[in-house]
C-alpha cells in the first residue's frame, strides 16, 4: 500500500462530537475529504440543513446528525443507545465536544466547575468506554481526543477547564495502555491558540492577545482548518504505530 493510500478513509464511519463549527467542523470536513462518512453530534446541531452537513454532502459523503447535551448524563446515555443501534460499526471516534467557563479561582462557583468537568471529562470517558468496547471486540478502531495547551499548563481564570484537559491527556494514555494491543489506537490533538468561539474573549483583550501572539513562533493565531490534516492522519492507517500520543498543533507555543 502506498503512503497516499494509507491516508484514505473510504468505507470508514467517523463519529465526531462538537462538530457544528470551528475545529470540530474542520475535523469533519477533513475526514469526509479523505472518504469517511460522518456521524455528527453537538448540543444544538440541527437535524438537517446544518452548514457541516452541507459541507459533508458536497463531498459526496453521508452525514447523520444527532444532538446531545453532554452536561446531562441521561441525555448522553440516550445518545449512546441511539447511535449504537443505528450505526453498529463506528471506525473512528473524535472526542471534540467541550466547553470553557471563565472566572478567577476565588470566585469560581461549583456550578461552573461541575459543568466543565461533566462536558469535558466525564462524558468523554463514558462515550469512549461505550464506543471503544465495540472497537476492542472487533480488534480495530481509532480514537482521537481534543486536548489543549492546558493539558500541560495551568492557564488563567479557567481552573475547571485546565483540570479537565489535564485529565484528557491522562485518559488518552490510560485507554491506550489497555487498548493498543487490541488494535485500537488512542491519541490526542492539543490545539494552541486558535481563532474560535472559545478564544474570542482573549482575542478581544488587546493586552492578552498581544502577549499571546508574541510567544507564538509561527507569528499567528491558528485556524480551524489547521486540524484537518492531523485528524486524518490519526484516523488513518498511516498512524497505526501511534499510541497514547498528544500531537501539538500550536504554532510552536510549547517549544518556547
Amino acid at each position: 500500500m502506498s503512503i497516499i493510500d494509507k491516508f484514505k478513509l473510504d468505507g470508514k464511519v467517523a463519529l465526531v462530537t462538537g462538530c457544528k463549527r470551528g475545529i470540530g467542523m474542520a475535523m469533519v470536513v477533513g475526514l469526509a475529504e479523505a472518504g469517511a462518512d460522518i456521524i455528527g453530534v453537538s448540543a444544538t446541531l440541527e437535524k438537517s440543513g446544518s452548514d457541516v452537513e452541507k459541507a459533508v454532502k458536497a463531498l459526496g459523503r453521508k452525514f447523520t446528525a444527532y444532538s446531545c447535551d453532554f452536561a446531562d448524563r441521561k441525555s448522553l446515555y440516550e445518545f449512546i443507545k441511539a447511535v449504537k443501534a443505528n450505526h453498529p460499526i463506528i471506525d473512528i471516534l473524535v472526542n471534540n465536544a467541550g466547553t470553557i467557563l471563565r472566572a478567577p479561582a476565588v470566585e469560581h462557583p461549583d456550578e461552573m466547575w461541575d459543568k466543565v468537568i461533566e462536558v469535558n471529562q466525564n462524558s468523554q470517558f463514558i462515550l469512549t468506554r461505550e464506543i471503544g468496547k465495540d472497537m476492542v471486540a472487533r480488534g480495530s478502531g481509532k480514537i482521537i481526543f481534543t486536548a489543549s495547551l492546558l493539558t500541560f499548563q495551568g492557564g488563567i481564570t479557567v481552573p475547571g477547564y485546565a483540570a479537565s484537559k489535564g485529565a484528557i491527556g491522562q485518559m488518552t494514555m490510560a485507554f491506550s495502555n489497555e487498548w493498543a494491543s487490541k488494535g485500537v489506537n488512542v491519541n490526542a490533538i492539543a490545539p494552541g491558540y486558535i481563532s474560535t468561539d472559545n478564544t474570542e474573549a482573549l482575542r478581544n483583550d488587546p493586552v492578552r492577545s498581544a502577549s499571546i501572539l508574541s510567544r507564538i513562533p509561527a507569528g499567528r493565531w491558528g485556524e480551524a482548518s489547521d486540524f484537518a490534516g492531523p485528524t486524518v492522519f490519526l484516523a488513518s492507517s498511516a498512524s497505526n504505530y501511534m499510541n497514547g500520543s498528544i500531537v501539538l498543533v500550536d504554532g510552536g507555543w510549547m517549544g518556547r
Side-chain angles (χ1 to χ4, degrees):
M1 182 183 292
S2 72
I3 187 61
I4 296 301
D5 287 335
K6 287 186 177 181
F7 282 87
K8 293 180 179 178
L9 300 175
D10 299 277
K12 302 295 186 181
V13 175
L15 168 57
V16 183
T17 72
C19 71
K20 187 173 180 177
R21 59 184 180 271
I23 291 173
M25 183 171 173
M27 290 171 156
V28 163
V29 172
L31 292 168
E33 286 182 345
D37 291 324
I38 306 297
I39 305 165
V41 56
S42 289
T44 59
L45 184 63
E46 301 91 337
K47 289 185 177 180
S48 64
S50 66
D51 289 342
V52 65
E53 177 183 8
K54 292 174 183 176
V56 171
K57 289 188 173 180
L59 294 166
R61 308 313 311 168
K62 297 177 183 177
F63 184 86
T64 307
Y66 291 86
S67 61
C68 176
D69 179 2
F70 289 99
D72 183 332
R73 191 73 61 90
K74 183 174 181 288
S75 177
L76 173 62
Y77 274 109
E78 288 174 350
F79 163 67
I80 291 170
K81 182 179 179 180
V83 78
K84 291 181 71 168
N86 295 330
H87 308 275
I89 297 178
I90 296 171
D91 303 287
I92 301 156
L93 170 63
V94 180
N95 284 305
N96 178 66
T99 191
I100 187 167
L101 297 173
R102 301 178 185 276
V106 295
E107 302 168 4
H108 209 84
D110 291 355
E111 293 78 13
M112 277 190 176
W113 175 273
D114 290 344
K115 181 175 181 178
V116 170
I117 294 298
E118 190 65 28
V119 173
N120 294 7
Q121 177 179 322
N122 297 345
S123 69
Q124 297 198 31
F125 170 77
I126 293 168
L127 185 59
T128 300
R129 181 190 66 204
E130 295 303 310
I131 301 299
K133 66 174 62 173
D134 295 336
M135 295 179 175
V136 170
R138 289 196 308 271
S140 66
K142 299 281 185 171
I143 298 173
I144 304 166
F145 286 95
T146 296
S148 168
L149 292 181
L150 300 196
T151 300
F152 311 98
Q153 301 176 319
I156 300 171
T157 73
V158 288
Y161 185 82
S164 69
K165 291 301 183 177
I168 290 299
Q170 294 302 111
M171 280 199 288
T172 298
M173 293 183 283
F175 278 117
S176 178
N177 287 344
E178 294 191 35
W179 292 354
S181 65
K182 310 296 184 183
V184 179
N185 298 85
V186 185
N187 295 288
I189 297 172
Y193 285 94
I194 314 300
S195 295
T196 65
D197 293 347
N198 277 359
T199 61
E200 184 175 6
L202 293 177
R203 288 182 285 115
N204 289 339
D205 182 329
V207 175
R208 289 292 309 281
S209 181
S211 174
I212 288 166
L213 192 60
S214 69
R215 177 175 162 162
I216 301 173
R220 67 174 176 88
W221 286 70
E223 300 292 338
S225 59
D226 292 319
F227 293 85
T231 302
V232 170
F233 170 56
L234 291 178
S236 73
S237 62
S239 62
N240 278 354
Y241 198 57
M242 290 191 68
N243 299 277
S245 297
I246 303 173
V247 179
L248 285 159
V249 182
D250 66 346
W253 174 279
M254 286 299 294
R256 289 293 290 268

